[in-house]
Amino acid sequence: MRIILGVAGGIAAYKAALVLRLLTEAGHDVRVIPTHASLEFIGRATWEALSGQPAPSDIFEDVPHVPHVALGKGADLVVVAPATADLISRAATGRADDLLTATLLTARCPVLLAPAMHTEMWEHPATRSNVATLRSRGVHVLEPASGRLTGADTGRGRLPEPEDIVAAALALVGDPDAPQDLAGQHVVISAGGTREPLDPVRFLGNRSSGRQGFALAETALARGARVTLVAANVTLPPPARADLVAVETTAELRDAVRAAAKDADVVVMAAAVADFRPATTAETKIKKRADGSAPVLELVETPDILAELAAQRLRAGQLLVGFAAETGDCDASVLEHGRAKARRKGADLLVVNAVGTGRGFGTADNAVTILDVHGEAVANAAGSKASVAHAVWDAVANLR
Ligand code: C5P
């Protein structure tokens, strides 16, 4: 695929080198167009060396080939990372005062912008309106991540992780090299983590980011599936071509999954579903008590959605995949807990991963063992959440 990678002038420009690497390693032909301002951060030599191609910024370079028209028209996909407030503004108003903005005007392929700027700039009404304008024209503008910004400051406006940018960009076009073994199949995927309300302002929740579930959705789309994505409290941008159902609680997730599963070929429960919820939800905020005593929470078990689907299949031949986020303890290792769970739940496959500080939840990478219903390992996978997702689809294909 011919991909244009635009780089605008922000400190996150250095992360575009990783975006470029991921795209070229996936076999794509990438041309980088840095803005002049971005060259204050990362020099042209970096882009030319990493892409193996010239990396022009100006309309008046290489004039006989009319690059400001040729590059945009010949592209299959345009990705701008980072997209600064200035670049977004120029794109929204249709300026063509450098090669990147001219290319955005001539491109007729999917365009993805990955914003990075200070929180104040992202929240400014001018930027909000520019983003809305671009989205109304069909440009895909990712939500920026929250976290460390240029200096010691933190907040919303951080460039999304390169892995996420690449996955979102390739999902716009479908990966032509992906096997089409899910073509014609309806796949239901739950992602994120459920929240069980204690009162109108508090909930019991978990740290699941939804990344692994979203990677499963993106890779299933790339492999030809129709995807229903049931997302519990996920702030990541959803894959553009998935049917999204947003839920909050376990009860809502159960209803949404069961409704979609009626005509699903595969159901993957990647969501971290609460095992317990408060027995009652207070109608008003729980107050501190005059005597200083703390309330005692009574919890009740939630229905096990995966075990229910396994015990009574909603459609003949439907394949069920569960995820088990485990921590080892003095009784058993992560894998031993996983084996017992595989046998107990009755899903066709159980993907076991270790979670804990810095592992599993919220991170870009994952490492898993895929077990069959007897608890026997059928595959191991480690790497990006997209590569783990492909390993899950490979294991599903082997069961067919
Ligand atoms: O028992 P545990 O929560 O570790 O099981 C994990 C697997 O079971 C995941 O696939 C999760 O989505 C699913 N699950 C469920 N309903 C619950 C709890 C977990 O479907 N109430």
Side-chain angles (χ1 to χ4, degrees), residues 190 250 253 268-276 302-307 309 321-326 341 344-345 350:
S190 70
T250 301
L253 187 121
V268 183
M269 287 290 296
V273 182
D275 291 327
F276 305 99
T302 54
D304 191 318
I305 304 164
L306 181 62
L309 290 172
V321 182
F323 269 71
E326 295 289 349
K341 193 167 285 184
R344 201 167 63 236
K345 295 246 179 193
L350 190 76

Side-chain angles (χ1 to χ4, degrees), residues 82-103:
T84 56
D86 178 66
L87 185 282
I88 287 174
S89 162
R90 290 191 294 133
T93 48
R95 295 283 297 269
D97 45 1
D98 61 9
L99 188 57
L100 179 54
T101 47
T103 300

